[in-house]
């Protein structure tokens, strides 16, 4: 096996990669999951990373990564890779393993393995059964909440560090406290991420998109999801409702859970106040979070796995070279350079930075294109939370804890 390597003495920039060892293959058929359509990118039946491909990818990843902590992140497939990665790493690298999973196939053997090797698991769950099952269904169209709950119980039993990955969409957007309290009180979850569903499509494809993204869902017609168009499906979250969803959760968190429950939206905003950008969505620029398909193809971003954004293959060039390519640099810079004037002068630009480019499908008050579809929600959330976050930042600067903010006057006026 010959693996492309970084030239001696070359600078290694920090980056992250989300690898998809089974491509678009999945045992579920979630109706909002646009990635199901990505199997149309490849004309072969087997969409599974081979053992040789796995070794090539890991060797390239580790050679391209700087010394220090290297996150080895996977979406699905539950690959057994610990020993291989340890063998390939440099002495100055420490590996952190992470995986995103729907949890339906987890059993005690997997729980023991994930615990033994200190995996961080992101578990997809959209709230209690009646909300989760609205869109997260299996191939037969049946809800999957009970199977995911069993997966959560396996992870809890074995003490696996787990984040809940909850998408926010039309079915659960009006139930923020029910969702939050279910995770906190029923599951005992402490690390929560709320991910807005925005399925953008050209208007002439909307009728097909409403049927879902699995190839074959549209009869003889096929529909590959790409970041084009300014229409959205009925499953997509409403911008104003998204803002109210986050505000309600923030107020509940502030009243009793600071220092006990960690909500990514809050943590990211607080980090932004300190100039520490931890999430590409709300960073001034992006471009350092790549995606690798099952055959080694590398794309600019997990949300841009489409032909125009393929930047190479791990068998042909170092990932570091792709990261520093003109095309990828321009991809990352454009998040900043295409920011509309309304965003540039916005009082919450410090927190939002225009959001993800994939969602910039609206127009500003002056008619300028490039406004984020979720702008109203972001503005509501950040204007509501900014005073409290600034107070928390002040506490942290003086060596106190964020939990000191809690008290009878903690809640920000709505």
């Amino acid at each position: 096996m010959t693996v492309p390597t970084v030239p001696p003495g070359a600078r290694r920039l920090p980056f992250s990669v989300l690898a998809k060892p089974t491509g678009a293959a999945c045992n579920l058929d979630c109706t909002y999951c646009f990635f199901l359509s990505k199997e149309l990118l490849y004309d072969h039946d087997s969409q599974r990373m081979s053992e040789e491909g796995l070794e090539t990818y890991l060797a390239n990843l580790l050679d391209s990564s700087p010394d220090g902590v290297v996150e080895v992140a996977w979406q699905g497939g539950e690959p057994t890779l610990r020993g291989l990665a340890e063998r390939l790493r440099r002495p100055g690298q420490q590996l952190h393993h992470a995986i995103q999973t729907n949890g339906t196939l987890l059993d005690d053997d997997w729980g023991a393995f994930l615990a033994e090797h200190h995996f961080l698991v992101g578990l997809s769950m959209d709230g209690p059964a009646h909300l989760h099952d609205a869109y997260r269904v299996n191939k037969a169209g049946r809800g999957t909440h009970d199977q995911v709950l069993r997966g959560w119980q396996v992870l809890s039993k074995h003490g696996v560090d787990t984040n809940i990955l909850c998408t926010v969409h039309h079915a659960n957007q009006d139930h923020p406290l029910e969702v939050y309290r279910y995770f906190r009180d029923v599951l005992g979850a402490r690390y929560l991420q709320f991910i807005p569903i925005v399925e953008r499509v050209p208007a002439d494809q909307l009728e097909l998109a409403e049927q879902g993204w699995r190839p074959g869902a549209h009869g003889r017609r096929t529909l590959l999801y790409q970041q084009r168009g300014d229409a959205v499906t009925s499953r997509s979250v409403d911008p104003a409702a998204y803002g109210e969803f986050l505000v309600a959760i923030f107020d509940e968190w502030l009243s009793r859970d600071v220092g006990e429950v960690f909500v990514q939206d809050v943590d990211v905003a607080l980090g932004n106040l300190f100039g520490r950008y931890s999430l590409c969505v709300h960073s001034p620029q992006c471009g350092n979070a790549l995606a690798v398909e099952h055959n080694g193809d590398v794309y600019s971003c997990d949300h841009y796995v489409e032909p125009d954004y393929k930047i190479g293959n791990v068998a042909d060039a170092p990932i570091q070279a792709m990261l520093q390519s003109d095309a990828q640099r321009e991809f990352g810079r454009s998040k900043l350079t295409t920011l509309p004037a309304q965003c540039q002068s916005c009082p919450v630009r410090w927190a939002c930075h225009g959001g993800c480019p994939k969602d910039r499908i609206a127009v500003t008050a002056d008619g300028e294109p490039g406004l984020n579809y979720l702008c109203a929600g972001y503005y509501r959330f950040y204007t509501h939370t900014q005073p409290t976050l600034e107070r928390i930042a002040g506490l942290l600067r003086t060596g106190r804890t964020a939990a000191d903010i809690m008290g009878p006057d903690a809640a920000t006026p709505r």
Side-chain angles (χ1 to χ4, degrees), residues 27 102-108 110-111 123-125 132 138 143-158 162 182 187:
N27 64 316
N102 61 45
T104 59
L105 301 179
L106 294 176
D107 56 20
D108 279 329
W110 272 117
L123 181 69
S124 296
M125 198 176 203
H132 174 98
N138 60 22
T144 60
H145 178 270
D146 289 350
Q147 296 98 302
V148 180
L149 181 59
R150 285 196 293 270
W152 166 264
Q153 291 167 345
V154 166
L155 296 170
S156 298
K157 173 182 175 181
H158 291 275
T162 305
Y182 176 76
L187 299 191

Side-chain angles (χ1 to χ4, degrees), residues 205-262:
Q205 295 180 357
L206 184 57
E207 184 177 355
L208 283 179
E210 290 288 358
Q211 299 173 42
W213 294 104
R214 176 178 52 81
H218 320 112
R220 293 183 178 181
R221 298 186 63 181
T222 57
L223 188 60
L224 173 66
Y225 187 92
Q226 300 185 72
Q227 299 297 350
R228 299 174 185 172
D230 57 6
V232 299
T233 68
S234 61
R235 295 178 293 266
S236 299
V237 67
D238 175 78
Y242 178 59
E244 296 303 329
F245 183 97
L246 294 179
V247 164
I249 287 174
F250 178 83
D251 287 348
E252 175 83 356
W253 170 83
L254 182 62
S255 69
R256 53 171 288 181
D257 295 328
V258 182
E260 296 295 329
V261 177
F262 299 87

Side-chain angles (χ1 to χ4, degrees), residues 42-179:
Y42 300 96
D43 59 5
H44 48 82
D45 294 332
S46 177
Q47 295 203 13
R48 181 173 292 275
M49 189 175 284
S50 67
E51 290 187 13
E52 181 180 0
L54 174 64
E55 185 167 357
T56 299
Y57 164 61
L58 286 172
N60 195 329
L61 171 69
L62 295 170
D63 180 74
S64 290
S65 298
D67 283 347
V69 173
V70 179
E71 182 174 278
V72 184
W74 305 88
Q75 186 174 57
E78 280 82 352
T80 305
L81 51 91
R82 171 74 179 191
L84 177 60
E86 288 291 346
R87 175 168 61 82
L88 293 171
R89 72 176 179 87
R90 296 194 303 275
Q93 294 176 320
Q94 301 87 47
L95 304 186
H96 286 185
H97 296 273
I99 188 167
Q100 297 179 12
T101 178
N102 61 45
T104 59
L105 301 179
L106 294 176
D107 56 20
D108 279 329
D109 288 341
W110 272 117
F113 171 81
L114 295 169
E116 178 185 356
H117 299 298
H118 307 290
F119 268 72
L120 174 63
V121 174
L123 181 69
S124 296
M125 198 176 203
D126 287 356
H130 71 103
L131 300 176
H132 174 98
D133 288 343
Y135 301 133
R136 296 197 64 83
V137 297
N138 60 22
K139 300 294 186 184
R142 300 188 183 95
T144 60
H145 178 270
D146 289 350
Q147 296 98 302
V148 180
L149 181 59
R150 285 196 293 270
W152 166 264
Q153 291 167 345
V154 166
L155 296 170
S156 298
K157 173 182 175 181
H158 291 275
V160 179
D161 291 335
T162 305
N163 289 348
I164 293 291
L165 310 180
C166 174
T167 61
V168 186
H169 43 66
H170 180 75
N172 65 5
Q173 65 183 21
D174 297 324
H175 306 275
L177 294 184
E178 183 179 2
V179 170

Side-chain angles (χ1 to χ4, degrees), residues 299-381:
Y299 292 87
S300 292
C301 168
D302 177 40
H303 291 286
Y304 285 85
V305 177
E306 51 191 81
D308 290 347
Y309 296 94
K310 178 184 169 184
I311 57 175
N313 188 286
V314 296
D316 300 329
I319 295 174
Q320 189 64 227
M322 300 180 222
L323 182 73
Q324 299 189 43
S325 67
D326 291 343
Q328 187 63 11
R329 287 179 180 272
E330 177 55 30
F331 177 85
R333 279 195 301 265
S334 66
K335 186 177 191 293
L336 175 62
T337 59
T338 62
L339 200 63
Q342 179 176 318
C343 297
Q344 294 178 34
S345 60
C346 180
V348 295
R349 178 182 175 182
W350 63 272
C352 176
H353 290 291
C356 183
K358 74 179 180 66
D359 298 328
R360 294 182 181 179
I361 59 176
V363 296
T364 68
D366 295 331
E368 184 181 1
L371 185 70
N372 199 293
Y373 167 82
L374 296 168
C375 174
Y378 286 144
Y379 189 84
R380 169 73 171 119
F381 176 62

